[in-house]
Amino acid sequence: RQAAALVDAAQRDPLTGCLDHGALVDTVALSIELSRTDGRPFGIVLVDIDNFRSLNDTYGHAAGDDALLTVVDVLTQALPEGAALGRYGPDELLVVVPTERIHAIDGFLATVRAALVDRALQYGVSERLPITLSIGVCTFPEHAESATGLLTIAATTLQEAKSSGGDAIRFAGTS
């Protein structure tokens, strides 16, 4: 039991308690294997907190941590059943949506965005600071044939969302 607890702890981000980068990549690779076996697609949702660096620079790293924890809380509450959530980068979160829930991605993202409207942050006498997200979505095998390829497509699609001014969702292969 202790060994299992240590393995679990080693795969978790210490701040958020979510899966860490390595565990997420493993989850994507396993999902690809399962998808190849059953021939059904699965989804990847890459989420970036808009203006995260500015938040850290202006209000300190504790403010960035608050924003990250707020987004994780909102994502966790809306997460489709069986989906995996983890911290992919400093201000990026990744959701792996299983085959049987791939149809729920649009509703999941709408729920997350609506919940964040009410979750603005405030520090001292600052104005309420809204939390917005840029999001890139892709699916296997439609957009890539490997974990690396899929994650690259998700990152490129996320960058398109950010480049449009942020607070946007982009699906791979659409304009």
Side-chain angles (χ1 to χ4, degrees), residues 75-159:
L75 287 168
T76 300
Q77 289 181 34
L79 206 60
E81 185 179 337
L85 168 65
R87 189 170 180 185
Y88 190 69
D91 63 335
E92 295 173 335
L93 299 158
L94 184 80
V95 180
V96 181
V97 181
T99 298
E100 57 276 358
R101 298 287 177 240
I102 201 168
H103 65 280
I105 290 176
D106 286 336
F108 161 63
L109 295 176
T111 300
V112 167
R113 291 182 81 188
L116 283 174
V117 168
D118 296 327
R119 301 286 295 265
L121 303 174
Q122 188 166 12
Y123 300 98
V125 295
S126 76
E127 295 180 26
R128 288 179 46 88
L129 306 168
I131 300 172
T132 60
L133 306 173
S134 294
I135 301 169
V137 181
C138 61
T139 57
F140 177 89
E142 180 181 2
H143 298 113
E145 292 287 322
S146 68
T148 302
L150 195 61
L151 293 168
T152 299
I153 294 293
T156 301
T157 306
L158 169 65
Q159 192 56 47

